[in-house]
Amino acid sequence: MTQNNDNIRQQVAQCDFFAELDEAALARLLEVGIPLRLRKGETLFREGDVLDAIYVQLSGRIQCCAEDGSGKRFVFLFSKPGDVLGEVSYLDGGGSAWGCCADEECELLRFRRQDLMMVFDDKDGLPCAVSRQQILLRLAGMVRTMSLVARNLALLDVYGRIRILFGEVMVDIDGALQLEKPFTQQEIAERIGSSREMVARILKELVYGHYIRLDNRRITLLKPLPEQF
């Protein structure tokens, strides 16, 4: 683990699943956490896996995605440090609704159900009432996110979804608006539910219209994208 103990303690204490734990319970919890490191591209769990553990992400970024078996992938969202992964399968005992794989090197803590049952003295392996309320709020937020994703897929064309994606991941780097990291055309296609070929065509038209500049997969916004294109 590259994270120091104080950082790990703070991230675990602030995550939704373990909100409002007292010092003694937090100390017991950290004792049973199993460190885990993923290299870029490694899978944490797959869609359909039944999980007996949850994961607290400490560093890096993880893709939450679905695949069709032929290699085609749709990325719902990216998780970030402090997020909990695997909680849906952990809570209802069913298969995971999506898979998770590392978008970059990541560090996590794995908490097994049997250990959480011992720590919290609860047959479900769940913490206090306040934490349960936070879990419900997090799940409600996930429903809203998935509803927005479904709405965009159903009602927007490919350009419209690209425009929304760019708005979500655009950051200011030395005074220039750029995507937060270099994206391949395939990665953009996986984020918006389209083909790489369609993405390539739209990016080419945006470059021709002087809306964006492409430099070694780094996309820079030159002027605001129009609502229709």
Side-chain angles (χ1 to χ4, degrees), residues 188-200:
I188 293 174
E190 290 173 356
R191 288 292 303 271
I192 66 170
S194 180
S195 67
R196 186 194 63 79
E197 292 76 15
M198 179 62 76
V199 169

Side-chain angles (χ1 to χ4, degrees), residues 42-47 62-65 85-86 98-102:
E42 282 192 310
T43 297
L44 180 62
F45 54 83
R46 299 184 184 281
E47 183 180 358
I62 291 177
Q63 295 181 4
C64 301
C65 57
L85 301 166
W98 51 79
C100 287
C101 69

Side-chain angles (χ1 to χ4, degrees), residues 171-178 220-221:
V171 294
D172 189 312
I173 300 178
D174 297 328
L177 288 177
Q178 299 180 339
T220 301
L221 183 67

